[in-house]
Amino acid sequence: MIPYFTRDIVSHFFHYHSNYDMPVIQLKNLSKTYTSDAIEVHAVRNVTLNFGEGEFTAIAGASGSGKTTLLNMIGGIDTPSTGEVWVGPKNIGAMNDKERTAFRRDTIGFVFQSYNLLPVLTAAENVGFIMELQKRPKRETEERSFELLSAIGLSDKLNVRPNKLSGGQQQRVAVARALAHRPKFVIADEPTANLDSASAAGLLDMMQMLNRTEGITFIFSTHDQRVIDRAQRVITFGDGQVQNDEQHDETRNLPQ
């Protein structure tokens, strides 16, 4: 299980940059339609939402509800059929492929349900991979990877490849990779789906503490009640639409 963190420990590894009143993401009349064998599938239907900096938000819904498609459009992995996605002053839909790739690399941290770790790289190399793409100095990349893996209790796994790690350990490496380049926000698709209760609780403790100490925006897609219980805001999604949007008490279920 991931150790509990204090504000002082986490602040040693990260820079604080929070402004909870600042809208960082705006979705305007967003829709996505897929066509398969002449059949139209409306994955997302006319969604308008704002996300503020420093949110810890769960998009909850059953499989097939459209929540992953929504996340993919927020992150610039997929493009909307209609509508717009704004991150700060930038309209993602107006970017070309090169600009969108650079935007994803420099602005977003992704945590995929299937981890998506590179099998030929060690845990430390996976964590530092985005920084390598950004052409950061080698020493900075190595130090950052060591700091993050130590912070999540994997300092003894630096040189271990993914196939020698447990599912929970792989997911922690994936989270460390998402945070390594200090993104403005993190998108996590079903981050606890493959974790036991202890590993899930530890992972959520870490992300929740980083959210509170660093103001990093976290947006999850999930149908896991463990994640929903931790969220400050829960958006219920179904049939490609927002069915409910509610704020929760920010102080509940915090790691002690």
Side-chain angles (χ1 to χ4, degrees):
M1 182 173 177
I2 302 171
Y4 289 97
F5 295 93
T6 65
R7 180 181 296 266
D8 290 340
I9 292 173
V10 176
S11 295
H12 175 73
F13 296 114
F14 303 95
H15 299 296
Y16 182 80
H17 57 280
S18 177
N19 181 352
Y20 284 79
D21 296 325
M22 178 181 178
V24 64
I25 301 168
Q26 298 179 29
L27 313 182
K28 301 180 179 181
N29 303 314
L30 201 65
S31 294
K32 182 66 179 183
T33 301
Y34 297 100
T35 301
S36 177
D37 297 328
I39 298 175
E40 289 190 342
V41 177
H42 301 284
V44 175
R45 303 169 182 257
N46 197 34
V47 171
T48 296
L49 286 169
N50 289 339
F51 298 90
E53 184 176 356
E55 283 196 23
F56 198 79
T57 295
I59 301 176
S63 297
S65 61
K67 60 188 186 297
T68 296
T69 299
L70 184 69
L71 279 193
N72 287 343
M73 289 191 288
I74 294 173
I77 294 175
D78 203 353
T79 55
S81 300
T82 59
E84 298 176 343
V85 179
W86 289 80
V87 177
K90 296 182 179 180
N91 179 358
I92 298 177
M95 298 177 181
N96 59 36
D97 289 344
K98 183 177 180 180
E99 291 170 336
R100 196 155 42 242
T101 297
F103 165 80
R104 289 194 301 265
R105 180 194 66 207
D106 298 336
T107 308
I108 308 172
F110 290 98
V111 181
F112 299 97
Q113 182 177 350
S114 56
Y115 317 136
N116 285 7
L117 300 178
L118 297 175
V120 298
L121 301 184
T122 65
E125 289 167 342
N126 267 286
V127 172
F129 182 67
I130 301 300
M131 296 179 71
E132 292 278 356
L133 293 179
Q134 294 176 329
K135 301 187 185 305
R136 301 277 189 93
K138 182 178 180 180
R139 182 174 178 178
E140 178 190 355
T141 300
E142 291 177 346
E143 289 178 351
R144 179 68 169 162
S145 297
F146 176 75
E147 287 173 347
L148 283 166
L149 288 171
S150 297
I152 59 174
L154 293 177
S155 59
D156 60 336
K157 304 294 183 182
L158 295 174
N159 297 315
V160 178
R161 289 190 168 87
N163 66 340
K164 300 297 184 181
L165 299 173
S166 69
Q169 290 169 337
Q170 289 185 58
Q171 191 70 312
R172 280 184 266 168
V173 173
V175 171
R177 179 183 59 187
L179 294 165
H181 58 298
R182 295 186 172 91
K184 293 181 179 179
F185 61 97
V186 171
I187 290 175
D189 185 16
E190 300 283 3
T192 59
N194 301 312
L195 301 183
D196 60 33
S197 294
S199 295
L203 190 70
L204 289 168
D205 285 347
M206 184 189 73
M207 292 191 287
Q208 197 166 31
M209 186 63 74
L210 291 173
N211 168 259
R212 290 182 63 82
T213 58
E214 298 302 314
I216 298 171
T217 302
F218 284 84
I219 304 174
F220 307 91
S221 73
T222 189
H223 58 267
D224 187 340
Q225 193 62 42
R226 297 172 298 186
V227 179
I228 295 169
D229 287 343
R230 298 291 192 105
Q232 299 165 3
R233 178 185 181 190
V234 177
I235 299 169
T236 304
F237 216 65
D239 296 324
Q241 297 176 305
V242 175
Q243 297 182 335
N244 193 34
D245 187 350
E246 60 182 3
Q247 297 288 334
H248 288 176
D249 181 0
E250 291 187 11
T251 62
R252 65 186 193 142
N253 295 322
L254 289 176
Q256 301 299 315

